[in-house]
Amino acid sequence: MKIMRSTFSRFSRLAMLISFLLFSLNGNSQPSVLWKFKSDTAVYSTAAIHQNLVYFGSGDHSFYALNKLSGKVQWKFKTKGAIHSDPLIHGNMVIFSSADGKVYALDHENGKLIWSFATKGEQQYDAWDYYLSSPVVADQMVYFGSGDSSIYAVDVASGKQHWSFKTGGIVHATPLIKDHKVLVGSYDGSFYALDSKSGTLIWKFKTVGDLYFPKGEIQKAAAATENAVLFGSRDFNIYSLSLKTGTGLWNRKESGSWIIAPPLLNHEHLFVGTSDTHRFYSMGSTYGDIKWILPLNMRVYGAAAFMDKELVFGCFNGRLYFVDPESGKVNATFQTEESKKRYSALFDEKDAVRKDIDPDGKNYLEVEKRILALGAILSTPIVDKDLVYFGDSNGYFYALKR
């Protein structure tokens, strides 16, 4: 018996070693934490990387610049509102929006203020309005939306206003600049194409709307191909419009779920996550035909990114997924420590939302707090070689090695 146990033990160790080697060769090794930084509250914005620093904003009203390899604070800048806008690096500046109603341009090396621009004020649409519009630059102009319902263009060097355009609702979507057009959606349910130089309206598209969400609010950024602009809406649709005319090319309805996440385009493919139906899709960008569906157990609000030959995206369940873009197979995941600790409070042994939990019920705000307590990942991962950076709803900012 001792000989048999010894032989079996050696065989088991050999089998485990072979399995581990095959696992590694297949590129399925799990990501590891390089460092972890704690801000005082939620990090919903997507980071930016420049040289040896990684930049991001937090709900604690601070904007941070950390060493990307050590996580050590290089500098931080305090505003009077939550910073749930993605930072933009341009020249010697890092530019971002704050819930105090201002857009700030700082020296990216030391965090000193270069200029600030005050809108007519910010506001939050509802409990799921997690983001601010992020600034983008083209032709020496900075473009961004605001809670005052306007889209702005200001001079990138001075911060002086060039033009503004008033929509019928809060604009927290990030503008997309393409073919001298500013392309952006509003909470009024309309998608706008404006002349980037003058701010005049070129075309406007109204979403279809739905019984419970008649406005068809547009919450986040769009993506564009050579001839089309694509975006999601709260009326459960993802839309593809002619870039030139704004007429519809196709739309696909995800019955029962908002489409908040901005689509990621790659050649003829579109990758996007859903809200309440808890899915991640690969579609054809030309016709919206479904290539594959990855079932999840929670929402996806952030966009996906490419990391080498994998898709990487975050989920409200506190997990980051690494997925084969051809098949939808999950190669690896990373789960926040808070998600591990609190997972059973929301999910059952089958990994489904517990039957006694109703995110849309009378106590929806309390349920939302419990979901966010998992360390929900609402930001889009930023990839730098074999490292990936992202923030979570508990205020942690991670650097993972893949």
Side-chain angles (χ1 to χ4, degrees):
M1 290 292 291
K2 289 181 179 179
I3 294 173
M4 288 178 66
R5 282 199 298 268
S6 177
T7 303
F8 179 77
S9 178
R10 288 196 298 271
F11 178 79
S12 297
R13 287 196 295 270
L14 180 61
M16 288 173 65
L17 178 60
I18 292 170
S19 296
F20 175 77
L21 290 171
L22 289 173
F23 190 72
S24 299
L25 288 171
N26 288 333
N28 291 333
S29 58
Q30 298 298 304
S32 58
V33 178
L34 179 65
W35 53 259
K36 179 180 173 183
F37 174 85
K38 182 70 169 73
S39 70
D40 290 337
T41 189
V43 177
Y44 298 145
S45 63
T46 297
I49 294 174
H50 181 67
Q51 295 176 352
N52 66 329
L53 297 179
V54 57
Y55 304 86
F56 64 93
S58 169
D60 67 6
H61 301 189
S62 292
F63 187 81
Y64 295 89
L66 309 183
N67 182 285
K68 70 178 185 180
L69 296 180
S70 68
K72 183 180 179 181
V73 178
Q74 182 79 10
W75 55 259
K76 78 173 184 177
F77 181 90
K78 194 79 171 177
T79 73
K80 294 181 179 180
I83 304 170
H84 295 318
S85 140
D86 304 345
L88 166 74
I89 305 292
H90 180 79
N92 68 325
M93 292 183 287
V94 56
I95 308 169
F96 59 90
S97 303
S98 170
D100 64 11
K102 291 183 178 181
V103 173
Y104 294 87
L106 311 180
D107 187 301
H108 67 63
E109 291 186 350
N110 55 35
K112 291 183 178 179
L113 181 66
I114 297 174
W115 57 257
S116 66
F117 175 86
T119 67
K120 293 182 176 64
E122 269 298 341
Q123 58 180 312
Q124 187 176 18
Y125 187 74
D126 59 20
W128 300 277
D129 181 17
Y130 287 110
Y131 308 95
L132 296 175
S133 180
S134 302
V136 295
V137 167
D139 299 324
Q140 300 306 305
M141 302 295 292
V142 185
Y143 303 93
F144 53 89
S146 170
D148 66 12
S149 303
S150 293
I151 302 157
Y152 290 91
V154 303
D155 182 82
V156 71
S158 66
K160 292 182 179 179
Q161 182 174 318
H162 188 60
W163 57 257
S164 67
F165 180 91
K166 187 81 170 177
T167 75
I170 290 170
V171 183
H172 282 164
T174 296
L176 171 68
I177 313 301
K178 177 83 171 176
D179 297 344
H180 305 292
K181 296 182 181 74
V182 181
L183 302 158
V184 65
S186 167
Y187 271 92
D188 67 6
S190 292
F191 192 87
Y192 297 85
L194 310 177
D195 182 275
S196 61
K197 291 185 178 180
S198 65
T200 55
L201 182 66
I202 298 172
W203 53 257
K204 175 181 173 181
F205 175 88
K206 180 67 184 73
T207 57
V208 175
D210 186 80
L211 177 62
Y212 295 106
F213 303 98
K215 285 186 179 180
E217 299 93 330
I218 303 167
Q219 188 166 346
K220 289 209 75 181
T225 65
E226 185 177 349
N227 301 308
V229 58
L230 303 100
F231 60 91
S233 168
R234 286 190 175 191
D235 69 359
F236 308 158
N237 279 286
I238 183 166
Y239 294 90
S240 175
L241 310 180
S242 165
L243 191 59
K244 185 176 181 180
T245 64
T247 53
L249 299 177
W250 60 264
N251 68 284
R252 177 174 289 281
K253 187 156 188 172
E254 179 72 6
S255 295
S257 180
W258 297 347
I259 309 290
I260 304 299
L264 170 67
L265 296 175
N266 183 258
H267 303 299
E268 297 295 317
H269 290 81
L270 176 158
F271 302 98
V272 69
T274 70
S275 180
D276 294 77
T277 51
H278 305 163
R279 295 169 181 163
F280 191 90
Y281 281 97
S282 171
M283 301 181 188
S285 60
T286 304
Y287 303 107
D289 50 311
I290 295 172
K291 306 297 184 182
W292 51 257
I293 302 173
L294 173 62
L296 303 167
N297 63 0
M298 255 296 146
R299 314 172 207 138
V300 175
Y301 274 20
F306 269 100
M307 187 173 193
D308 194 13
K309 295 180 181 180
E310 289 181 315
L311 288 167
V312 56
F313 64 89
C315 181
F316 270 68
N317 61 12
R319 285 175 169 154
L320 196 71
Y321 291 84
F322 298 83
V323 176
D324 180 355
E326 295 299 321
S327 66
K329 176 180 175 289
V330 177
N331 291 333
T333 62
F334 172 82
Q335 187 174 13
T336 65
E337 287 301 317
E338 292 74 18
S339 176
K340 292 177 184 177
K341 292 175 185 176
R342 300 165 178 164
Y343 204 74
S344 61
L346 283 156
F347 303 101
D348 62 23
E349 64 280 359
K350 295 181 180 179
D351 213 29
V353 177
R354 281 173 28 182
K355 292 181 180 179
D356 61 324
I357 302 292
D358 184 3
D360 300 317
K362 292 181 180 180
N363 297 323
Y364 70 92
L365 290 177
E366 182 58 35
V367 173
E368 193 72 5
K369 288 179 183 178
R370 292 170 67 179
I371 294 170
L372 296 176
L374 294 171
I377 302 169
L378 280 70
S379 60
T380 297
I382 290 296
V383 175
D384 184 32
K385 297 178 182 177
D386 62 344
L387 298 176
V388 57
Y389 300 86
F390 65 93
D392 77 10
S393 56
N394 284 321
Y396 288 102
F397 188 83
Y398 292 86
L400 300 186
K401 187 175 179 61
R402 179 74 174 106

